[in-house]
Amino acid sequence: MNKVGWAVLGCGAVGDWHCQAAQNAEHAELRAVCDAMADRAQATGVRFGVPGYGDLGEMLKRQDIQCVSICTPSGMHSDQGVACARHGKHVMTEKPIDITLEKTDALITACRAAGVRLSCIFQKRTSKAVQSARQAVQSGQLGKMVLGDAFNKWFRPQTYYDSGAWRGTWALDGGGCLINQGVHTIDALLWIMGDVKSVYAKADRLARKIEVEDTAVAVVQYMSGAFGVIEGATSVNPGEYSKLELHGEKGTIIIEDNDISKWAVGTDPNAPAENDDSRCNRAQKSGSASSPMAFSVVGHTIQIEDMALAILENRDPMVTGESARKSVELIRAIYESARTGKEVLLPHS
């Protein structure tokens, strides 16, 4: 077998990205789609030239499907992933892996028990800018790290939340601007900076009529001793590019969207580092800051190809379930701090 049979569960916009990515990936082959709305599944199947199912159980009976992308509302990922694992299917979820640690752990445990691979879409990890920054930080090029900040100040209008009954709810979205939009940048920050020791946060709905937060700020301390700030919003008009700012005693790296806007890394902590323009890439940025549809499928394609190879080569994918869990843990801690007004220590249950 040199191709992994792929299915996509959830035929909304994100499901389309997974279908396109599975068709683009060299070692994956899209073979079915599924949605609780059978007519939508059939329409999606027609577009992509595969059968469309209205019942997950029926689709999981197919022996030519080895992996399922789960693109349903976030709070459904674990339950549906467990069902897939019990049918011997490998599982890839959209971000976040789920909305609580309890459900996340249940999915990780089920996949381990079934002997199947588990991954989660965090396409910022496929960015050359993020990969270069991580290598620089973890190899010590910036010296002792002092600050690691993430900013995800986006615009999502009220019509975005009104477009789906699950959006902006605790039950299925799991939160607002942090766990839905900001989770990408938070995952990249943790991947670069390492685990967090404590967090103190404020979060509220300041502009949108939703159950959950549309604006949040948090101060974190990493296990390394470095500090950081996380800002997330869907209330900012017209929205700003997501940004990572990484500061060490020997220099600074700043990433805007997926481009390096500053690479000032020296060797002497007592002398100002000079920016290296050759390391900076000011290419055309995405419009995701103001539109939920303005995403490229390149990152999804890279991750689906990696997952297919992980299955074929019997290895872990680039984003494991345990690694994807870290952003859920931090965001739940931020929510707890915002709710109680107290500093929250991690690990957080």
Side-chain angles (χ1 to χ4, degrees):
M1 183 177 69
N2 60 2
K3 284 187 180 288
V4 174
W6 215 272
V8 173
L9 173 61
C11 294
V14 175
D16 276 9
W17 297 336
H18 281 250
C19 288
Q20 292 175 46
Q23 289 188 331
N24 292 343
E26 180 181 354
H27 291 91
E29 183 174 285
L30 183 66
R31 291 178 179 164
V33 298
C34 181
D35 194 280
M37 297 171 61
D39 56 344
R40 185 162 73 166
Q42 290 166 8
T44 301
V46 169
R47 286 205 314 278
F48 289 97
V50 297
Y53 291 83
D55 182 81
L56 176 60
E58 284 300 310
M59 187 181 74
L60 293 178
K61 293 177 182 177
R62 288 185 50 167
Q63 298 302 307
D64 63 338
I65 293 172
Q66 286 80 47
C67 188
V68 179
S69 279
I70 299 178
C71 305
T72 52
S74 304
M76 301 172 72
H77 291 177
S78 178
D79 292 342
Q80 294 170 332
V82 169
C84 293
R86 288 175 177 168
H87 280 79
K89 313 301 185 186
H90 303 276
V91 178
M92 171 167 272
T93 74
E94 250 301 327
K95 58 74 190 170
I97 189 168
D98 205 280
I99 60 175
T100 69
L101 289 178
E102 181 181 14
K103 296 184 75 175
T104 298
D105 290 340
L107 178 56
I108 292 171
T109 299
C111 288
R112 282 180 184 161
V116 298
R117 301 292 173 189
L118 171 61
S119 190
C120 178
I121 290 288
F122 279 120
Q123 67 265 39
K124 277 189 177 291
R125 297 201 201 183
T126 71
S127 158
K128 296 298 183 185
V130 172
Q131 292 173 357
S132 296
R134 181 176 190 264
Q135 194 279 330
V137 169
Q138 298 207 342
S139 67
Q141 290 181 49
L142 273 66
K144 181 180 179 181
M145 296 303 295
V146 294
L147 288 169
D149 306 324
F151 305 103
N152 208 86
K153 297 185 282 188
W154 285 2
F155 173 75
R156 294 291 184 267
Q158 186 65 42
T159 52
Y160 165 81
Y161 290 105
D162 295 343
S163 67
W166 69 277
R167 295 190 186 280
T169 67
W170 288 112
L172 289 177
D173 219 353
C177 60
L178 290 181
I179 203 163
N180 189 313
Q181 289 80 19
V183 67
H184 281 296
T185 311
I186 290 171
D187 172 78
L189 182 69
L190 292 171
W191 196 51
I192 293 169
M193 292 291 297
D195 293 344
V196 166
K197 179 180 180 181
S198 69
V199 60
Y200 178 76
K202 293 284 188 180
D204 208 342
R205 49 189 177 276
L206 302 183
R208 305 289 169 246
K209 295 177 182 178
I210 51 178
E211 293 180 7
V212 296
E213 88 289 351
D214 62 19
T215 311
V217 295
V219 175
V220 302
Q221 182 174 21
Y222 299 94
M223 291 294 186
S224 67
F227 299 140
V229 171
I230 294 171
E231 292 186 10
T234 51
S235 57
V236 171
N237 193 340
E240 301 293 328
Y241 297 121
S242 63
K243 184 184 289 189
L244 291 166
E245 296 189 356
L246 311 165
H247 306 279
E249 60 180 350
K250 294 181 182 178
T252 289
I253 299 172
I254 297 176
I255 300 172
E256 296 183 26
D257 203 13
N258 288 315
D259 300 328
I260 294 170
S261 61
K262 186 170 188 176
W263 189 288
V265 180
T267 57
D268 184 355
N270 294 305
E274 296 185 1
N275 191 50
D276 183 351
D277 285 331
S278 69
R279 298 298 300 265
C280 299
N281 175 17
R282 296 177 177 85
Q284 180 77 33
K285 294 182 174 65
S286 75
S288 56
S290 57
S291 171
M293 303 304 295
F295 284 96
S296 164
V297 299
V298 172
H300 283 72
T301 301
I302 292 171
Q303 278 203 250
I304 285 181
E305 173 66 6
D306 171 76
M307 180 65 159
L309 287 173
I311 293 166
L312 295 172
E313 297 168 359
N314 194 30
R315 62 165 173 82
D316 284 339
M318 68 166 64
V319 180
T320 63
E322 290 83 359
S323 180
R325 182 187 189 275
K326 291 179 182 295
S327 56
V328 178
E329 180 184 37
L330 176 54
I331 291 169
R332 299 315 307 184
I334 290 172
Y335 289 159
E336 178 70 10
S337 177
R339 185 182 67 82
T340 64
K342 297 178 181 179
E343 181 181 32
V344 173
L345 301 179
L346 283 82
H348 179 66
S349 59

